[in-house]
Amino acid sequence: MNVPMPHLPPALVPPEPRERHAVAMPDGATVILRRHGNPDGPRVALSHGNGMAIEAYYPFWRLMLAAYDVILFDTRNHGQNPPDGAGNHTWDRFREDFEAVRGAIDRLFGAGPVAAVFHSMSGISALLQTRAYDERWSPLILIDPPIFPPPGHDLQRTQSFHMEDMEAIALRRPDRFDDPEDLAAVLRKRPAFRRWPPGAHELFALATTRRTEDGWTLACPKRLEAQVFAANIDPTVWPTVGAMPGDIAVVGADASLPEVQPPALLGRALAEEHGLPYTMIADCTHFLQIERPEAVWQAVEAFLRRFGRAA
């Protein structure tokens, strides 16, 4: 990460990784892998949602560091990765990136099983990868996955409108700042982020921006964030999930909240329709790993235990 803001609580400053590797993707883009935690523990990979960065989830993954070999990576054009432009910022390219990352993990850190805890966009990318290349993550734990439903599904119209809304919201975002604190101040004012604990807004701002010659800018440009929302309309993934190889589980946001968003409903429906193990975390939104990290980790570790991958 960049140098932390002075008012970021020390407890929310992510540690320096044990190892850091720049990995070339098939088309020449670069994805930075970071290794944290206990190298002798079970290996777990983590990635993030659209427009975010995995360092912003530190309140969650810090709970894993004592016992697990933790591998972090941002998707292209996000977080710590160098910018790559709009041309290859597509779901097909994310699928190929995840395959390249999975191979690099074995090559760099030693071959073996890797569990995955993938939030939102990264979970969809992993499902596309699994469908194309067979089991790669053992198990694959999807956190609030906004998978587009098939034709005729009760939630398809709801998700279509939600993706349109999210695209529009992304395009309205400010994308240049004098300081990351300016972005943190914007986040603190928005109702969607009111459940975040103190310091999480600053951490998010620092993790999702990069320094430029004249200030700071979003690491993932808003037009690329909007582009991903607009393209998240593939109805072919949902019907295939139940037959995919390997163990897949879902941890979802609270589907009973008055302000519930479609991902919580989608994750619950996906699990029910395909018989996937599922846990709902009460009183949290799509940002559940930031809002209730201990509860989410308890659910995730229970699934790791169930599938024989717990420490």
Side-chain angles (χ1 to χ4, degrees):
M1 291 179 66
N2 298 292
V3 176
M5 291 177 283
H7 44 278
L8 184 63
L12 288 186
V13 178
E16 288 297 314
R18 290 178 175 272
E19 300 180 46
R20 189 176 189 273
H21 300 273
V23 178
M25 299 294 100
D27 68 339
T30 298
V31 169
I32 308 297
L33 300 189
R34 285 90 75 192
R35 189 184 199 187
H36 290 266
N38 179 359
D40 297 321
R43 186 168 294 160
V44 183
L46 295 96
S47 197
H48 57 82
N50 189 22
M52 302 186 75
I54 194 58
E55 262 70 19
Y57 298 61
Y58 179 55
F60 172 73
W61 57 261
R62 68 182 176 182
L63 303 173
M64 308 169 64
L65 296 180
Y68 291 83
D69 186 17
V70 177
I71 310 299
L72 308 178
F73 66 98
D74 301 308
T75 57
R76 65 170 56 212
N77 288 310
H78 284 79
Q80 297 189 15
N81 297 327
D84 181 57
N88 290 322
H89 199 80
T90 66
W91 288 105
D92 286 347
R93 183 48 59 189
F94 297 157
R95 177 194 65 215
E96 300 306 310
D97 288 351
F98 273 57
E99 181 67 6
V101 165
R102 182 62 186 86
I105 290 172
D106 278 355
R107 185 173 68 253
L108 292 168
F109 310 124
V114 183
V117 181
F118 290 153
H119 176 233
S120 195
M121 175 181 73
S122 58
I124 296 176
S125 300
L127 289 174
L128 292 169
Q129 175 197 10
T130 300
R131 185 173 66 174
Y133 291 105
D134 208 341
E135 180 182 359
R136 292 294 189 264
W137 311 100
S138 178
L140 171 57
I141 301 176
L142 306 172
I143 309 294
D144 220 36
I147 303 170
F148 195 75
H153 195 283
D154 291 345
L155 292 172
Q156 190 184 76
R157 186 176 178 85
T158 300
Q159 178 64 351
S160 293
F161 287 142
H162 183 56
M163 289 297 93
E164 292 174 7
D165 287 345
M166 294 304 295
E167 179 187 6
I169 289 170
L171 290 173
R172 292 197 300 268
R173 291 184 65 183
D175 57 3
R176 291 196 169 272
F177 312 92
D178 292 332
D179 185 275
E181 166 57 24
D182 297 339
L183 174 55
V186 170
L187 297 174
R188 285 194 297 268
K189 294 177 181 177
R190 293 186 176 171
F193 306 105
R194 65 182 174 82
R195 287 182 168 84
W196 288 21
H201 306 86
E202 289 82 0
L203 177 61
F204 177 92
L206 190 65
T208 60
T209 56
R210 68 174 89 248
R211 192 188 295 272
T212 65
E213 292 182 357
D214 58 351
W216 297 75
T217 187
L218 294 175
C220 177
K222 63 182 181 181
R223 71 184 188 283
L224 297 189
E225 182 181 357
Q227 182 173 303
V228 168
F229 285 129
N232 186 28
I233 53 172
D234 180 358
T236 69
V237 178
W238 184 297
T240 67
V241 170
M244 286 185 183
D247 296 313
I248 300 174
V250 177
V251 178
D254 192 338
S256 68
L257 292 179
E259 70 272 33
V260 63
Q261 290 187 317
L265 304 174
L266 293 167
R268 182 177 64 181
L270 182 80
E272 289 175 351
E273 292 174 22
H274 291 294
L276 303 177
Y278 167 76
T279 299
M280 187 185 80
I281 308 300
D283 193 30
C284 61
T285 72
H286 189 57
F287 304 109
L288 59 168
Q289 288 157 285
I290 297 172
E291 295 168 345
R292 299 202 61 203
E294 290 84 4
V296 177
W297 172 236
Q298 288 174 7
V300 166
E301 191 165 39
F303 285 139
L304 294 176
R305 190 174 302 111
R306 173 174 180 160
F307 298 123
R309 297 291 300 135

